[in-house]
Amino acid sequence: MSRRRVLLGAAALGALSGCGTGGSDGVGADGRVTVELWHGQSDTGRKAIQALVDEFNRTHPSIRVNAGGGGVLADAMLQKVTAALAAGSYPDIAYIFGSDLANVARSPRVVDLTKALREGPTPWSAYWKPVRDAITVNGQVRAAPALLDSLAVVCNRTLFRRAGVPLPEAGWTWDDFTEAARRLTDPGKGVFGTGWPGTGDEDTVWRLWPMLWDLGGDVVAPDGARIGFADQGVKALGTLETLARDRSVYVDPKPGGEQMYQVFLSGRMAMVPTGPWQLPDISAARVDYAVVPLPSYSGKPVTISGPDTWTVFDNGSARSRAAVEFVRWLTRPAQDVRWDSSAGSLPLTTTAAERPEWRRHSDRTPGLDVFTDALRTARVRPVHAAYPQISQALGEAIVSVLLGQDSPARALHKCAEKADAALRIPR
């Protein structure tokens, strides 16, 4: 199950309850400040954040964090928070995807956390670079980090052995990947070499950025008026075209890559590019697996990290101070390791990665160290207000190539027209 999937049940569609009210000081008759947290988590993640909230409330008697959740999962949080801000009734803290932060941070209700985090109890330099980049907008820290991941390739050892294909190693190339996928595909047994989300959403898109960066491209060109991958995108899409032509890629038509992961878990897919959040399900399915770094064109290590955030909103000075105190406490190494181990994510800081608790957890989880080591060279998507439009245009291009509807060059041309138009809009 992807941590980005949409799953809206009756509870998720419920009305707001106990939500924050813009302007309320939140101080009770006993002097205790109540902070409303919309965490957007389900199942294991919800239990993990509630346990941490309970501990904070026990150890900070002047503050009470209400982890009501917000009534939606993280996938729908942007829409929920946007509506709440418009209505003037919003939480003190909300779980916001990193790719959405630039647009949310345009609201004057978002608290500037520059001083709080750069001078906080956890040294700013201890955060991995992808974390620092993901929460910084125009030089200001606009949120606290909530979750960290990276992409690597998980391989089914059994399928590799059966096909007589050696397991890949660090430094392999995308040509190696496409050739392995071709050899590992067995139509007679319903086995695919690999898979790719095919809905055109962010899950489809963010897997392509490491390929474009490795080729020397960027999301936005230096002049800010056009995309920075007009040439590199054609080659990267050409790799997907090869997979599609060889019929070695399972194109998942459902959001969140759910079917793609089910195919892998059932032993009918040899390689899946994914993040650490998927390892618990893979282990539970008893797949004999190995994790290897992403391939590249250059042979150099490259990957992407998609940090998400705890964004703090201004509901008055007392509540803002209390909310900031909570997120700073939550991101300290001791609490961070507990959250990461439960949520299927990676430590936010190099300090947390060195703690004995994390090392024990990593030793018990084969391949987790590959995802953590990848953070040293990981990059993040730019915190740019036009990113959603760029992502949508590139998502459409990827799907059209995977389905054989467009050539890489034609698909990239259409993408550039739409994305460049979005970049020219004054913001």
Side-chain angles (χ1 to χ4, degrees):
M1 181 180 71
S2 169
R3 70 179 178 84
R4 296 173 184 276
R5 94 176 163 172
V6 179
L7 177 59
L8 299 179
L13 294 174
L16 282 172
S17 62
C19 63
T21 301
S24 170
D25 62 12
V27 181
D30 58 359
R32 187 168 63 171
V33 180
T34 297
V35 170
E36 295 293 337
L37 169 65
W38 290 2
H39 56 70
Q41 306 299 306
S42 64
D43 302 328
T44 303
R46 182 180 66 248
K47 294 176 182 177
I49 194 65
Q50 186 62 59
L52 287 164
V53 166
D54 291 343
E55 179 179 332
F56 180 85
N57 287 341
R58 286 195 304 269
T59 57
H60 296 73
S62 63
I63 302 173
R64 180 182 181 276
V65 176
N66 178 13
V72 295
L73 295 186
D75 303 81
M77 189 63 74
L78 176 63
Q79 181 180 359
K80 188 81 169 194
V81 167
T82 300
L85 287 169
S89 181
Y90 44 87
D92 299 287
I93 307 166
Y95 186 97
I96 299 294
F97 286 156
S99 55
D100 294 327
L101 180 61
N103 282 297
V104 174
R106 296 167 69 186
S107 169
R109 296 298 184 187
V110 173
V111 176
D112 185 347
L113 299 182
T114 303
K115 183 175 181 179
L117 290 192
R118 288 188 175 168
E119 300 178 11
T122 301
W124 178 249
S125 59
Y127 290 104
W128 295 101
K129 186 177 185 298
V131 171
R132 300 195 301 267
D133 291 346
I135 59 178
T136 302
V137 183
N138 298 325
Q140 294 180 315
V141 180
R142 305 312 308 274
L147 182 145
L148 182 63
D149 56 23
S150 65
L151 277 183
V153 178
V154 181
C155 303
N156 183 314
R157 291 177 180 270
T158 301
L159 293 179
F160 271 80
R161 284 195 297 268
R162 288 177 182 171
V165 178
L167 281 171
E169 298 179 352
W172 63 320
T173 68
W174 282 106
D175 283 343
D176 297 331
F177 182 92
T178 56
E179 174 62 14
R182 183 187 65 78
R183 294 177 60 189
L184 289 158
T185 298
D186 187 342
K189 296 181 179 179
V191 174
F192 292 88
T194 190
W196 202 284
T199 60
D201 60 6
E202 185 59 20
D203 204 32
T204 302
V205 171
W206 78 308
R207 299 159 190 269
L208 200 75
W209 293 128
M211 303 167 72
L212 298 170
W213 291 329
D214 185 44
L215 291 167
D218 212 338
V219 179
V220 181
D223 63 12
R226 54 194 172 86
I227 58 172
F229 56 94
D231 297 325
Q232 298 85 354
V234 175
K235 182 169 184 178
L237 290 175
T239 298
L240 300 190
E241 183 183 46
T242 298
L243 294 170
R245 184 181 62 244
D246 293 343
R247 297 186 178 181
S248 60
V249 59
Y250 176 83
V251 181
D252 191 344
K254 296 294 183 68
E258 287 186 65
Q259 291 189 2
M260 176 182 74
Y261 289 127
Q262 287 302 316
V263 173
F264 183 84
L265 295 175
S266 66
R268 295 185 295 112
M269 184 181 294
M271 302 181 291
V272 61
T274 189
W277 66 84
Q278 199 62 35
L279 294 184
D281 285 348
I282 293 173
S283 296
R286 300 184 182 276
V287 176
D288 182 11
Y289 73 93
V291 181
V292 295
L294 281 184
S296 69
Y297 296 101
S298 66
K300 299 177 181 178
V302 59
T303 190
I304 185 171
S305 178
D308 293 330
T309 77
W310 298 118
T311 303
V312 178
F313 299 92
D314 184 3
N315 273 303
S317 58
R319 289 172 66 174
S320 294
R321 284 194 302 269
V324 170
E325 184 171 351
F326 173 69
V327 297
R328 291 208 306 184
W329 177 87
L330 191 61
T331 55
R332 291 180 190 176
Q335 287 76 247
D336 178 37
V337 168
R338 291 170 55 193
W339 166 248
D340 301 330
S341 299
S342 300
S345 57
L346 303 176
L348 298 173
T349 63
T350 55
T351 307
E354 294 168 357
R355 290 183 68 90
E357 310 97 293
W358 175 259
R359 290 182 176 178
R360 287 194 295 271
H361 173 66
S362 185
D363 289 343
R364 293 193 300 266
T365 311
L368 186 57
D369 59 328
V370 177
F371 290 103
T372 306
D373 290 344
L375 293 173
R376 304 181 190 282
T377 56
R379 294 180 58 176
V380 298
R381 295 155 291 187
V383 188
H384 194 292
Y387 181 81
Q389 288 76 31
I390 298 172
S391 175
Q392 181 179 358
L394 182 56
E396 293 171 356
I398 292 171
V399 173
S400 69
V401 170
L402 286 172
L403 298 182
Q405 297 170 342
D406 273 323
S407 68
R410 179 170 173 79
L412 206 285
H413 177 73
K414 293 178 180 178
C415 167
E417 285 187 333
K418 296 176 181 178
D420 289 352
L423 284 166
R424 288 192 291 268
I425 299 174
R427 299 177 191 275

